[in-house]
């Protein structure tokens, strides 16, 4: 089964400093029928105004992945990590027994556009952890590049959840396929551009597909710069 959620059907929260589009029930948006997709609990598509952001706040027993699409996100946390996640970089954080962190737009002039994903961990009470990496755009071109995986397999960033995240950037007419074990799920999110999924579903920027009971998918770009994230999960 392939269920496509159109970009415009997501809940949108408008604040003076933030525009946030929620794929799952979050904050003031509560929908008991849309709490998660397998172990995937949060997918927030955030645009943060210059010089603003999320002040220091706590997390616990959650695996958090952040990807910066445009701009730069300034990060600080109670583990002592201080830095900037720039466009194209990915950050993972294990909240475990508890961690505080803040996220601010590093620029005083330009917006930052980022995705933040939360996943339920394999076990509670893990030691908090942090990692950050820039992946080559060239390695994503017309291919599926593994960027997050359990225990950091194959050079990916680590995550303590049965989740593997791939990124891809396709030229017009190019495609990729992904096959997974029976009983698993796939979640595909369009970062930019347009493509077709299994030759039937047409998807554009901000659209997502929740895929169950389908062991193989085929994705083909309708235009150059079709960028998407594919999550293989339980």
């Amino acid at each position: 089964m392939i269920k496509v959620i159109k970009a415009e059907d997501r809940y949108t929260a408008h604040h003076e400093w933030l525009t946030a589009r929620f794929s799952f029930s979050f904050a003031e948006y509560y929908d008991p029928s849309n709490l998660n997709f397998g172990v995937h609990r949060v997918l927030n598509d955030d645009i943060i105004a210059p010089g603003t952001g999320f002040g220091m706040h706590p997390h616990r027993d959650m695996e958090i992945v952040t990807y910066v699409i445009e701009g730069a996100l300034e990060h600080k946390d109670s583990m002592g990590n201080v830095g900037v996640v720039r466009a194209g970089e990915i950050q993972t954080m294990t909240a475990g027994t508890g961690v505080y962190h803040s996220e601010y737009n590093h620029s005083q002039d330009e917006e930052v556009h980022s995705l933040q994903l939360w996943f339920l961990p394999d076990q509670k009470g893990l030691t908090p952890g942090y990692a950050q990496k820039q992946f080559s755009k060239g390695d994503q071109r017309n291919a599926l590049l593994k960027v997050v995986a359990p225990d950091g397999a194959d050079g990916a960033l680590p995550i303590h959840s049965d989740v593997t995240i791939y990124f891809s950037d396709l030229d017009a007419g190019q495609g990729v396929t992904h096959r997974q074990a029976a009983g698993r799920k796939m979640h595909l999110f369009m970062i930019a551009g347009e493509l077709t999924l299994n030759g039937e579903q047409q998807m554009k920027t901000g659209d997502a597909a929740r895929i169950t009971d389908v062991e193989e998918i085929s994705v083909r770009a309708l235009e150059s710069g079709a960028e998407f994230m594919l999550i293989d999960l339980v």
Side-chain angles (χ1 to χ4, degrees):
M1 176 182 173
I2 299 177
K3 180 181 180 182
V4 173
I5 293 91
K6 292 297 184 181
E8 57 269 24
D9 292 335
R10 296 174 295 174
Y11 179 87
T12 302
H14 293 286
H15 302 283
E16 185 176 344
W17 59 277
L18 170 71
T19 299
R21 294 174 175 86
F22 303 148
S23 291
F24 299 102
S25 186
F26 188 84
E28 72 269 24
Y29 164 53
Y30 177 67
D31 181 352
S33 68
N34 188 32
L35 294 176
N36 61 287
F37 180 61
V39 296
H40 197 175
R41 175 63 188 87
V42 166
L43 172 51
N44 291 353
D45 186 349
D46 295 334
I47 296 177
I48 305 170
T52 67
F54 300 94
M56 198 65 72
H57 59 280
H59 292 288
R60 186 182 184 92
D61 290 325
M62 195 66 66
E63 296 293 298
I64 301 171
V65 178
T66 303
Y67 173 61
V68 176
I69 299 172
E70 295 177 324
L73 196 62
E74 186 176 314
H75 170 94
K76 295 181 182 179
D77 65 45
S78 55
M79 294 177 281
N81 298 297
V82 178
V84 178
V85 186
R86 301 185 184 279
E89 287 189 291
I90 300 174
Q91 172 202 89
T92 58
M93 189 169 68
T94 294
T97 53
V99 66
Y100 282 79
H101 77 141
S102 64
E103 298 164 296
Y104 279 91
N105 187 338
H106 187 61
S107 172
Q108 297 297 318
D109 305 306
E110 299 178 348
E111 294 178 333
V112 62
H113 184 188
S114 65
L115 301 176
Q116 187 163 100
L117 302 84
W118 297 6
F119 298 94
L120 302 174
D122 290 333
Q123 58 181 301
K124 294 183 177 181
L126 293 167
T127 301
Y130 178 91
Q132 179 180 333
K133 187 173 182 178
Q134 175 87 51
F135 290 89
S136 167
K137 280 290 188 180
D139 290 340
Q140 302 173 35
R141 183 64 53 79
N142 301 322
L144 284 171
L145 176 65
K146 185 184 295 183
V147 296
V148 175
D151 301 320
D154 302 323
L157 288 171
I159 190 168
H160 297 285
S161 187
D162 192 356
V163 170
T164 302
I165 302 176
Y166 302 87
F167 275 64
S168 184
D169 189 347
L170 302 177
D171 293 325
Q174 295 296 309
V176 293
T177 61
H178 179 67
R179 185 171 181 83
Q180 63 177 191
R184 296 183 65 83
K185 300 175 174 66
M186 287 181 262
H187 194 185
L188 189 152
F189 180 81
M190 285 297 302
I191 296 171
E194 295 188 32
L195 55 74
T196 58
L197 175 59
N198 283 2
E200 299 176 359
Q201 302 279 2
Q202 187 167 330
M203 300 179 64
K204 59 178 176 56
T205 303
D207 290 350
R210 301 180 190 181
I211 304 164
T212 54
D213 301 319
V214 177
E215 293 184 19
E216 183 171 299
I217 61 168
S218 175
V219 176
R220 187 166 299 278
L222 294 174
E223 60 184 19
S224 290
E227 185 180 357
F228 67 92
M229 172 176 62
L230 178 64
I231 307 167
D232 183 325
L233 70 160
V234 293

